[in-house]
Amino acid sequence: MKAFIFALATATAAWSVPSDAQRQNPYAVTIRVNDSVITNFEVTQRILLLRAFGTSGDLEKTAREQLIEDRLRIQAAAQAGLIVTAEELEGGVSEFAARSELTADQLYQYVDKNGATKESMKEFVRAGLLWRNLVQARFAGQAKMSNNEIDETLNLSTVRKKQSILFSEIRLPLNQFSNEKVFELAEQLSNSITTENAFAEAAQQHSQSPSRSNSGRLDWLPVAQLPAALAAQIMALEPGEVTAPITSGQTLSLFQLRGVRDEQVEGTGPVTLKYVLVNIPGEPSSKHSLADATKLINDVDTCNDLRAASRRFEPSGYTSNLVDVDNVPPILAIELANLDRHEASYYTNSKGTLTVVMLCDRLRKSPEDVRKKIRINRFNQRMSGYGQSFLDELKADAVIEYQ
């Protein structure tokens, strides 16, 4: 199951050693965030939810960080006068559950089997809904894409149909480190790297992608098989230049252009991709997970085979997708661009674990609402960036005390 999409100049933290009574009392306060408190019970419940979602790493640390961020989100939404009604909350839970092809009741049953309560699941979703509404209300005007920007993207899209690009990547997962530190690292790399060798060294040192073993270097890819927004940002570079940090889900990526070449290609590029994903449970870099992923790929020949073989990973293992190429997350789009029909591979997802992806089909047709799709895709990218920056500001101004 995918993890949810969900005054001081610097943060102040007062550390103290908790007493035995505090440790044993589930309702004792463990963290204060401005005027709000977080209890031991809430930390335990969030750990159970994270475990149910298949999150890896230091779950207690992640739980505490998430709960602190949720408190800041809720406080900011309250200051703006925003609330979530009971109907909206149930709709949010249903939306979250649908991402793993579950109903809300099935999701509640699943987390209950893993020791987490229905109320904890609701609070998890409620914080995300409030934040989404707040970010929309605060930044929607700034994130709109102008007609000139759409025209520029369309011009690149027209040219890109008969071109391929050679580029390298660095992937930085946001859920395994302090987000602020990850953004600082990404900005530093983006601003300082000027050569292919420097990018390769940075990829070897920092990237959490399978391409790390090849210094982040990818093979030639047809630009038509990449999202227009991603292709536009890479093709706007000169060879050796690096993009600004690009957020995709819980991953921050940098791309360096290495070359562009013309191709003899007839017709339009693929518009819609049909593919399946199977999340492989296990610890990051686990040999057992790698063996499971490799065996799964070797045992199947079609998408239907993959669905049947993935049942042992249910309920969170298998998802079927039919998505316009411009709406596919950049990391996944790069993997799919390397596959032929019914070919499969695996990649490291934003949680640090493995996901097997199989391409079922490419549907080649020209959509009538290209401009709308470009506008929506760029808008969502900008909103994600604005939201993260706003959350970083709230953290910097917060008074956070650990009991």
Side-chain angles (χ1 to χ4, degrees):
M1 181 176 296
K2 297 181 179 179
F4 178 68
I5 67 173
F6 6 130
L8 301 177
T10 57
T12 302
W15 294 85
S16 61
V17 179
S19 66
D20 290 339
Q22 285 179 310
R23 293 192 186 98
Q24 294 172 4
N25 181 2
Y27 298 105
V29 174
T30 182
I31 307 172
R32 294 183 182 274
V33 183
N34 296 322
D35 295 330
S36 299
V37 299
I38 298 170
T39 66
N40 290 329
F41 178 78
E42 291 176 286
V43 174
T44 300
Q45 282 292 302
R46 183 57 59 91
I47 291 172
L48 293 172
L49 282 178
L50 291 172
R51 186 172 295 135
F53 298 160
T55 306
S56 57
D58 188 339
L59 296 188
E60 182 173 355
K61 178 182 178 182
T62 301
R64 289 174 175 270
E65 291 176 348
Q66 285 190 1
L67 287 168
I68 290 171
E69 291 180 352
D70 283 355
R71 286 296 190 276
L72 294 173
R73 293 181 177 113
I74 293 171
Q75 291 169 6
Q79 290 178 359
L82 298 179
I83 62 171
V84 172
T85 66
E87 292 77 14
E88 290 172 334
L89 181 56
E90 285 302 326
V93 173
S94 296
E95 177 186 341
F96 185 87
R99 296 171 188 169
S100 296
E101 300 184 339
L102 300 173
T103 66
D105 286 340
Q106 288 173 330
L107 175 61
Y108 288 140
Q109 293 171 10
Y110 175 73
V111 298
D112 179 68
K113 289 180 180 178
N114 285 271
T117 67
K118 180 177 180 179
E119 289 70 23
S120 295
M121 184 71 239
K122 285 186 175 182
E123 284 303 301
F124 176 84
V125 173
R126 187 171 78 91
L129 288 175
L130 285 170
W131 184 247
R132 182 169 67 183
N133 294 343
L134 177 61
V135 172
Q136 286 277 353
R138 190 180 179 97
F139 300 110
Q142 302 176 45
K144 289 181 179 178
M145 190 176 185
S146 69
N147 288 329
N148 287 338
E149 289 176 301
I150 296 176
D151 290 339
E152 291 176 4
T153 302
L154 282 171
N155 289 338
L156 281 172
S157 297
T158 300
V159 174
R160 75 190 181 97
K161 298 301 182 183
K162 295 185 178 182
Q163 291 183 319
S164 291
I165 54 176
L166 188 66
F167 61 98
S168 300
E169 65 173 355
I170 293 174
R171 300 184 197 171
L172 306 172
L174 291 172
N175 67 332
Q176 294 186 6
F177 309 97
S178 165
N179 286 354
E180 183 177 354
K181 292 181 179 179
V182 176
F183 274 89
E184 288 177 357
L185 172 62
E187 288 288 350
Q188 176 188 348
L189 295 176
S190 176
N191 294 329
S192 64
I193 292 177
T194 58
T195 67
E196 291 186 17
N197 286 339
F199 193 95
E201 291 176 2
Q204 292 174 351
Q205 182 177 357
H206 302 291
S207 184
Q208 298 297 313
S209 164
S211 63
R212 176 180 180 177
S213 61
N214 194 36
S215 300
R217 297 185 179 93
L218 300 172
D219 292 330
W220 287 97
L221 292 177
V223 185
Q225 295 184 18
L226 298 173
L230 175 62
Q233 292 180 73
I234 297 177
M235 294 185 71
L237 303 172
E238 294 294 332
E241 290 184 338
V242 180
T243 62
I246 298 174
T247 303
S248 175
Q250 292 297 305
T251 300
L252 198 62
S253 299
L254 299 171
F255 300 98
Q256 182 185 55
L257 179 66
R258 290 157 46 216
V260 180
R261 71 184 183 189
D262 293 331
E263 304 285 4
Q264 296 300 318
V265 179
E266 299 296 332
T268 61
V271 172
T272 304
L273 298 175
K274 185 177 182 181
Y275 59 92
V276 294
L277 301 174
V278 178
N279 294 323
I280 307 298
E283 293 297 319
S285 304
S286 164
K287 292 183 179 180
H288 181 72
S289 296
L290 179 59
D292 280 346
T294 303
K295 184 177 188 304
L296 184 60
I297 292 172
N298 291 337
D299 286 348
V300 300
D301 296 315
T302 68
C303 289
N304 287 337
D305 293 342
L306 183 60
R307 178 173 190 136
S310 68
R311 286 175 181 167
R312 68 179 184 274
F313 301 127
E314 290 182 349
S316 61
Y318 178 97
T319 58
S320 180
N321 305 269
L322 183 64
V323 185
D324 183 276
V325 66
D326 288 334
N327 293 327
V328 176
I331 292 172
L332 181 55
I334 292 171
E335 296 295 332
L336 289 166
N338 284 289
L339 299 177
D340 291 326
R341 188 167 179 263
H342 292 308
E343 279 190 341
S345 67
Y346 65 85
Y347 66 98
T348 303
N349 59 39
S350 60
K351 296 185 297 185
T353 56
L354 297 182
T355 294
V356 170
V357 54
M358 175 177 279
L359 177 66
C360 303
D361 208 352
R362 284 192 178 96
L363 306 178
R364 298 175 180 268
K365 60 180 181 180
S366 298
E368 297 179 357
D369 58 347
V370 173
R371 293 182 69 88
K372 179 180 179 181
K373 291 180 181 296
I374 292 174
R375 190 187 299 274
I376 292 174
N377 188 62
R378 185 63 64 85
F379 176 84
N380 290 336
Q381 284 189 344
R382 289 177 175 176
M383 290 295 287
S384 177
Y386 284 133
Q388 184 59 53
S389 296
F390 184 33
L391 182 59
D392 290 341
E393 290 178 10
L394 294 176
K395 284 183 180 178
D397 293 336
V399 177
I400 303 172
E401 299 178 352
Y402 294 80
Q403 304 298 311

